[in-house]
Amino acid sequence: MRSDAGNPPLLTCRDVGKVWPTTGRPFVALDGIDLDVARNEFVVFLGPSGCGKSTLLYLIAGLERVSSGTIESGGSVVEGPGTDRGLIFQESSLFPWMTVGENVAFGLRLQGVAPARRREAAIALLRKVGMADAVDKRPDQLSGGMRQRAAMARALSLRPEVLLLDEPFAALDVQTRSKMQDFLIEVWRDSGASMLFVTHHIDEAVALADRVVVFTARPGRIKSIVPIDLPRPRDPRSPEARALADHLTDLLRDEVDRAFAEQERLR
Ligand SMILES: Nc1ncnc2c1ncn2[C@@H]1O[C@H](COP(=O)(O)OP(=O)(O)OP(=O)(O)O)[C@@H](O)[C@H]1O
Ligand SMILES: [Mg+2]
């Protein structure tokens, strides 16, 4: 589904800016971000390091406040974290002292759900990510891919309308990452949630996105929004996928050069 489908967008960013306070000149991380995300849309953020992709996710998650503009989720202005928005980081943020099941049901525990029902819910959620038998394991007994799947189960436990994923597969090997992409598409279909997914990998963007938002070097602005109108499952080697990947590479190249030039200047 796409944001132009006629329904009101699930998430809107209007002229969003973020300035980090510093001791010297104010540090503009994001400027003039306008973006609509439709219900059940898959949007990928692509941009050079330091352009503000994570910052924008944290603003949408309500973990940081916007400096200007507004973000709305489900028609309400975002003023803090909420169960309508789930966040998954690059390194899984599972609590090492809890079992996988306790981790997955952590949000339910905060909501006062009784232990027996929490365990049942954790097993059902873990089943969705193919890991029901890991309910009593500790996070350090899992592989990197399994940890990220458990983190997904935890994020899904409160039935978010938007999943915010900050380079969730960056630490995984290429084969595992490709499996996790297929798996994420299933989770996306099954949950009906919208996805906002940050990556540095152009092939990953082409594999996953309905639309790719390409950012400029800092201050992060939206340079271009590229629709990926390819049927799923996608063949990354098809001429259409290759042409889109080439187009995204061209869009990104200048921005990466600019970002590196600025880092050199600051050094
Ligand atoms: N809490 C903070 N205080 C001050 N500056 C910050 C803070 N968080 C991020 N920044 C700065 O804001 C800019 C954007 O950071 P952000 O982490 O959003 O970039 P990014 O696009 O996610 O980069 P990467 O691809 O490397 O993860 C960077 O220059 C960063 O140093
Ligand atoms: Mg980041």
Side-chain angles (χ1 to χ4, degrees):
M1 203 215 256
R2 301 276 300 281
S3 60
D4 51 0
N7 296 318
L10 177 67
L11 191 90
T12 59
C13 299
R14 283 284 166 272
D15 202 17
V16 168
K18 179 68 182 174
V19 182
W20 294 111
T22 61
T23 43
R25 275 194 302 156
F27 189 92
V28 183
L30 288 170
D31 183 42
I33 301 292
D34 277 311
L35 181 67
D36 286 352
V37 178
R39 212 167 269 283
N40 202 209
E41 188 180 21
F42 205 125
V43 173
V44 169
F45 290 174
L46 197 62
S49 183
C51 74
K53 304 177 295 295
S54 298
T55 300
L56 185 55
L57 275 202
Y58 300 156
L59 295 175
I60 294 169
L63 296 175
E64 296 284 350
R65 304 297 295 263
V66 297
S67 307
S68 53
T70 357
I71 299 176
E72 287 187 18
S73 171
S76 306
V77 175
V78 168
E79 286 177 332
T83 55
D84 55 323
R85 286 153 286 137
L87 186 60
I88 297 175
F89 298 95
Q90 174 172 345
E91 297 293 337
S92 102
S93 44
L94 300 176
F95 300 124
W97 62 89
M98 289 184 188
T99 65
V100 171
E102 286 163 352
N103 266 288
V104 169
F106 184 70
L108 300 173
R109 185 170 128 193
L110 293 183
Q111 290 191 335
V113 175
R117 279 211 34 225
R118 286 208 305 265
R119 185 177 167 81
E120 241 172 65
I123 291 172
L125 285 157
L126 283 167
R127 191 167 294 126
K128 282 193 188 182
V129 299
M131 285 181 50
D133 53 350
V135 64
D136 293 318
K137 291 204 164 126
R138 300 268 160 193
D140 64 2
Q141 295 175 286
L142 305 180
S143 69
M146 288 165 92
R147 277 201 287 274
Q148 287 308 67
R149 279 192 280 161
M152 253 182 242
R154 183 176 61 183
L156 292 169
S157 70
L158 299 177
R159 299 175 181 277
E161 292 186 295
V162 187
L163 264 193
L164 309 166
L165 302 113
D166 196 1
E167 302 192 52
F169 307 149
L172 305 178
D173 64 86
V174 175
Q175 286 83 7
T176 309
R177 192 186 320 140
S178 156
K179 288 273 171 233
M180 290 294 286
Q181 289 164 6
D182 296 345
F183 171 73
L184 181 63
I185 291 291
E186 280 175 37
V187 167
W188 169 56
R189 290 222 167 100
D190 184 54
S191 67
S194 305
M195 300 280 173
L196 285 186
F197 185 104
V198 176
T199 186
H200 280 282
H201 293 272
I202 287 171
D203 290 346
E204 188 160 68
V206 174
L208 294 173
D210 287 327
R211 289 187 301 157
V212 181
V213 178
V214 182
F215 289 82
T216 65
R218 195 184 69 80
R221 300 191 180 100
I222 293 179
K223 173 168 180 151
S224 184
I225 297 185
V226 179
I228 310 289
D229 283 324
L230 299 177
R232 296 182 176 89
R234 291 178 176 167
D235 175 5
R237 284 169 299 190
S238 72
E240 294 83 3
R242 293 307 339 145
L244 282 161
D246 288 348
H247 178 48
L248 290 169
T249 305
D250 289 342
L251 284 172
L252 207 54
R253 189 175 293 123
D254 290 349
E255 303 307 326
V256 172
D257 288 349
R258 273 183 50 206
F260 268 94
E262 180 178 303
Q263 269 163 23
E264 286 298 315
R265 193 173 54 75
L266 291 176
R267 201 174 286 165

